Amino acid sequence: MLEITRKVNPQTSRLLPLIAWGHDKEWICLITQHCVHGELFAYLTEAPCVWGRDMCFNVSRQCAEAVYELHSLGYAHNDISLENYFVSSAEERGYIRTDGKQKLIIKLGDFAVASPLTQPRTYLTPGKKQYNAPELFHYDGDAKGYNRAAADVWALGVCIYTIFTKFQPFNEASNKCGLFRDIFNQTPEEVERALLKFVRLWKWESILSGGLIHLFSNIFVPETYRIRIGVF
């Protein structure tokens, strides 16, 4: 974590900077930049109304920018979730908006299990099962490991889907979940058709546009098909 936070500019970075730290024989104390609205998951689920599309796109874009920045520094997060994004506001940072609207600022934090992208990932990290990519559930200990950047992208896709719908797409990426069974081991084209059918069933056409479905159909696919963060 210290290596990552030393490389970021607290004013412009999408990564939550570490302000100070200390330790004793039992505990390590970390002081990070304050985000007045707390976790994005709580902020989203406790919102009194459904967010508009512009708000959803703005927040999703910032979430993606944070992952792109982290990968550009050479690290995978390994535990991306709405609980590890944090929310502050432009007003909190001293910026005054003239249109009367609040601008949210999103930061990605909690780098406890982050690791260099060049380091082979031959063991599993304790990420949250709702966000874990399927290769983590089906990983058999192969010495080649799995692609941690691709696993981060899957988790980011879960975050974006949840931001727009307020529902998580999977309880976990395994056959225990109905939607996952419909798309597991399918090509992007097959996943897109399955998602379109799902969206029509739930009458979510006004929530998930064709562009978003196309994006998810290139994320919720096997690792070999999955897009990387620079393609968003």
Side-chain angles (χ1 to χ4, degrees), residues 1 8 12 25 44 73 94 146 157 174 180 227 231:
M1 179 177 183
V8 304
T12 60
K25 293 181 179 180
L44 172 68
L73 292 173
Y146 60 90
S174 76
F180 181 78
I227 61 174
V231 183

Side-chain angles (χ1 to χ4, degrees), residues 91 96-103:
E91 290 78 9
I96 303 299
R97 289 180 64 92
T98 59
D99 56 7
K101 297 180 180 179
Q102 185 181 58
K103 176 178 173 58

